Amino acid sequence: MAVMKFGGTSIGTASAMKRAMLIVAEEKKKKAPLVVLSACSGITNRLIQVAEAAGDSRLAEAMELSGEVREHHRELVDVLINDGERRKAVMEKVETYIGELDMLIKGVDIVGELTARSFDTFCSFGELLSTTIFSEAMQEAGHGTVWQDIREVMITDDNFSSARPLEALCEKNVKNTLKPLLEQGNIVVTQGFIGSTRDGKTTTLGRGGSDFTAALLGAWLPSDEIQIWTDVDGVMTCDPRVVPDARSIRVMTFTEAAELSYLGAKVLHPDTIAPAVKQNIPVYVLNSLHPETRGTVITDNPAILEGMSYGGLVKSIAVKKGQCIINFRSNRMLGRHGFMANIFDEFARAGVSVEMISTSEVSVSLTVSESASLEELLVELRKMGEVDIEPDVATISVVGDNLRASKGVAGRIFSALKDVNIRMISQGASEINVGFVVEGQDVSKAVQNLHHEFFSDSETSGIFESPMKRHQ
Ligand code: ASP
Ligand code: MG
C-alpha cells in the first residue's frame, strides 16, 4: 500500500484537484492508499498574513484575508461537488472552519497578542479545508473514502511551529486507527503538516511539513512506498531554468538526495524523508501534471537501485546563488596552532554560517550567504589578518555517489570550465561532491558546460529518463 502526498500546487485549483483524484483512483486499483494533503498553494502564506494582521490588531485586513481563503474554498466546492445535497453539506463544513478562523482572529485581536499556540491554529485551517473538499469529492466520485483528522493520530510535543511527534504513541495510533481503515479497502484522506499535543492543542511540524507527515505515517504503517506528488518531473539533473535540457533522474540514493538539498537544489529536505529511508521504504518524487512519467525514486535499497541500472558518474548539478567569499590571510597562521579555531570562533560569535571552506597554510577562503550581516565579524577578523570580500558569487556542486570511486572526474570538470573564472574549489568530505565557486555572471555558462560534459546521451543512456511509463 502507498502513502500519496500531494503538495499545494498539485491540489491548488479545481483542475489540479481533479487530476489528483484521478491519480488516487488509479492507485486504488492496486490497493486503497493513504492520501496526505498540503493546503492549497498560497493558502498557508495567506493564513500567516491573517495571523499577523490579527496579532497587530489590523482587524479589517485580517477579516478580508480570511474572506479570500473562504472564497477560494467555496469555489472549489462549487466546481468539484455536483450533488446539491452534498454541496450544501460541504459548504457548511467550509463555513464552520472559516467561522472558527474568524473567531480566532477576533480573539487574538482582543487579547492584542499572537501566541505561538494560536499561530499554529491559524495555519492548520489550510490542510483541514483542502482535505475536507478532496475527501468529499472522492466519495462523490464513488471511491470509498474516509476523512481522518490527523490530530487524533499525530500527537506531538508542544514546540509550536516545529513540533516533533511522540513516536511510540503515534505509531500505536496509526496501527489502531489508520491501518484498519485502509485494510478495509478505504482510501483515507488526511492532513499533512499539522498535529496535536496530548491535551488537544493544535501544532504544526514546520513549513513544508507535509512531506515529513507522509514519511512518518509511511514508516509507522509501514507502507510499501511513499509518493510525493509535486509539479516537477522528480529530481532533475540541474535547474531546468538554467539548462533547458535538464532531465529527470530515475533513481538516487538517500545520501545523494541529502547532499543535493544541502547544496541548494530544490529536492526534498532529507530530514523530512529520513523516517522512510531508515525503514527502506522507497520515496518517489512524481509530477501530478505528467502522472505517466516515472519521476525519481530515492532509496538505499540495493534491489531497487540494481533494478534501475543505478549508475552514471554525476547525478546532478546543484547551484546556490547569492553567496559571497570572505578571503582571510595572515602570515601569523604559518606553523601556528589554534589560529583556525580563533577564526571560526568569530564566525560563531557573529552567528554567521559558513558554507564552503578552502585553506592553505596562510590563508583561508569561506563562503557565506550574501544576506548574512557581516559588519561586526569583519571588524574582528581584520584585527587578526587581511580580509577581502568577493560579493555576488555562486557555488556550483557536482554530486554523485560514483564520484568516490572514479578517476579523472576533476579533470573533466575543470576542462569543461576552462573559460570560467573559478574563485574557489572544495571537495566535500563525503567525497560525493566536488564544489567550486564562480562569479554570478558565469553561472549559466559554467552549468551548461558541465551539463553538456556529464549528461550527453552516450554518458547516461539508461540512467536518466525522458518521460516513460512508471508501472511498465
Ligand atoms: N501547507 C504547509 C506549508 O505551506 C505545509 C506543506 O505544504 O508541506 O508550509
Ligand atoms: Mg511542500
Side-chain angles (χ1 to χ4, degrees):
M1 172 254 308
V3 173
M4 309 175 82
K5 179 261 173 176
F6 290 86
T9 49
S10 299
I11 50 151
T13 59
S15 51
M17 271 219 188
K18 281 185 186 163
R19 271 194 301 272
M21 287 170 63
L22 290 176
I23 295 170
V24 172
E26 193 59 34
E27 182 69 35
K28 190 183 179 218
K29 290 181 186 161
K30 289 190 276 169
K31 210 158 200 190
L34 172 62
V35 178
V36 175
L37 301 186
S38 293
C40 297
S41 49
I43 294 296
T44 307
N45 287 342
R46 196 59 54 89
L47 290 167
I48 290 173
Q49 290 170 351
V50 173
E52 286 169 352
D56 263 3
S57 292
R58 287 178 274 126
L59 183 59
E61 187 185 333
M63 294 301 285
E64 194 181 317
L65 288 164
S66 147
E68 289 173 20
V69 174
R70 173 173 183 261
E71 266 327 294
H72 179 82
H73 293 94
R74 287 186 64 100
E75 277 170 25
L76 289 182
V77 177
D78 247 340
V79 181
L80 292 167
I81 311 284
N82 301 310
D83 175 71
E85 281 296 300
R86 187 186 289 271
R87 190 186 306 137
K88 199 165 143 245
V90 184
M91 284 293 189
E92 267 164 30
K93 289 188 186 180
V94 171
E95 292 304 327
T96 305
Y97 283 130
I98 299 296
E100 286 171 24
L101 174 62
D102 289 347
M103 257 168 36
L104 184 61
I105 294 173
K106 286 174 190 147
V108 168
D109 173 60
I110 289 168
V111 180
E113 188 198 0
L114 175 68
T115 60
R117 184 179 149 185
S118 41
F119 184 82
D120 276 12
T121 305
F122 274 109
C123 289
S124 67
F125 287 103
E127 273 70 10
L128 291 167
L129 285 160
S130 66
T131 51
T132 298
I133 297 168
F134 189 85
S135 156
E136 292 281 354
M138 285 301 287
Q139 185 70 26
E140 184 179 80
H143 307 291
T145 303
V146 176
W147 180 87
Q148 171 70 47
D149 187 336
I150 201 63
R151 292 172 297 182
E152 292 166 12
V153 175
M154 183 67 77
I155 307 301
T156 70
D157 60 23
D158 62 359
N159 285 312
F160 294 99
S161 292
S162 54
R164 284 297 165 265
L166 308 176
E167 301 242 4
L169 183 54
C170 294
E171 186 165 354
K172 199 174 94 205
N173 292 343
V174 164
K175 297 219 151 86
N176 292 339
T177 316
L178 296 180
K179 206 169 179 179
L181 286 171
L182 291 160
E183 276 167 0
Q184 287 153 23
N186 300 293
I187 297 171
V188 178
V189 174
T190 196
Q191 306 79 41
F193 178 53
I194 69 174
S196 162
T197 60
R198 271 175 201 272
D199 51 353
K201 296 180 193 113
T202 297
T203 55
T204 66
L205 306 178
R207 290 308 303 274
S210 296
D211 296 337
F212 191 38
T213 305
L216 288 167
L217 297 176
W220 291 325
L221 273 163
S223 66
D224 300 318
E225 61 180 66
I226 293 169
Q227 303 171 3
I228 306 281
W229 290 89
T230 63
D231 58 353
V232 291
D233 283 329
V235 185
M236 308 291 281
T237 50
C238 85
D239 185 340
R241 285 166 307 185
V242 181
V243 179
D245 15 303
R247 276 174 276 169
S248 116
I249 303 169
R250 265 189 76 189
V251 48
M252 62 197 314
T253 64
F254 182 63
T255 333
E256 286 172 334
E259 196 80 15
L260 268 181
S261 83
Y262 297 140
L263 295 170
K266 300 245 171 330
V267 189
L268 295 174
H269 195 286
D271 296 346
T272 67
I273 57 164
V277 174
K278 238 189 269 167
Q279 294 212 30
N280 250 336
I281 302 173
V283 178
Y284 290 85
V285 183
L286 298 157
N287 187 348
S288 61
L289 294 167
H290 307 135
E292 70 291 351
T293 60
R294 277 177 184 271
T296 303
V297 52
I298 301 171
T299 181
D300 284 342
N301 185 333
I304 299 178
L305 292 171
E306 186 69 23
M308 290 188 148
S309 63
Y310 176 68
L313 197 50
V314 169
K315 220 25 114 47
S316 188
I317 302 168
V319 178
K320 212 177 213 177
K321 294 184 185 163
Q323 303 283 105
C324 110
I325 301 181
I326 301 179
N327 293 309
F328 176 91
R329 203 186 146 78
S330 167
N331 292 336
R332 283 184 289 154
M333 274 169 83
L334 192 65
R336 282 265 308 272
H337 53 80
F339 209 93
M340 284 296 180
N342 295 343
I343 294 173
F344 286 110
D345 258 357
E346 293 304 337
F347 278 84
R349 239 193 300 276
V352 174
S353 152
V354 175
E355 311 220 349
M356 192 184 278
I357 306 173
S358 120
T359 63
S360 75
E361 185 59 47
V362 294
S363 71
V364 51
S365 299
L366 316 101
T367 63
V368 300
S369 162
E370 244 170 10
S371 60
S373 49
L374 298 177
E375 276 150 43
E376 279 169 40
L377 172 67
L378 294 179
V379 170
E380 294 307 317
L381 290 179
R382 288 197 167 110
K383 291 180 188 162
M384 296 192 275
E386 284 166 44
V387 178
D388 69 79
I389 303 284
E390 297 179 46
D392 186 27
V393 297
T395 54
I396 298 178
S397 311
V398 173
V399 178
D401 253 5
N402 292 345
L403 290 183
R404 214 188 315 246
S406 311
K407 290 188 189 129
V409 185
R412 287 178 63 187
I413 292 176
F414 295 114
S415 70
L417 294 176
K418 59 182 184 301
D419 301 330
V420 175
N421 184 6
I422 299 177
R423 308 298 311 133
M424 220 175 119
I425 301 171
S426 146
Q427 172 159 20
S430 62
E431 290 179 37
I432 70 162
N433 88 70
V434 177
F436 39 85
V437 179
V438 304
E439 289 165 19
Q441 67 197 31
D442 285 341
V443 171
S444 301
K445 182 163 61 170
V447 177
Q448 279 162 9
N449 290 354
L450 283 167
H451 199 269
H452 183 77
E453 172 67 27
F454 290 103
F455 298 99
S456 61
D457 287 336
S458 59
E459 184 71 29
T460 58
S461 58
I463 301 155
F464 300 91
E465 296 291 333
S466 7
M468 232 178 117
K469 295 262 175 265
R470 261 188 82 227
H471 298 295
Q472 67 190 4

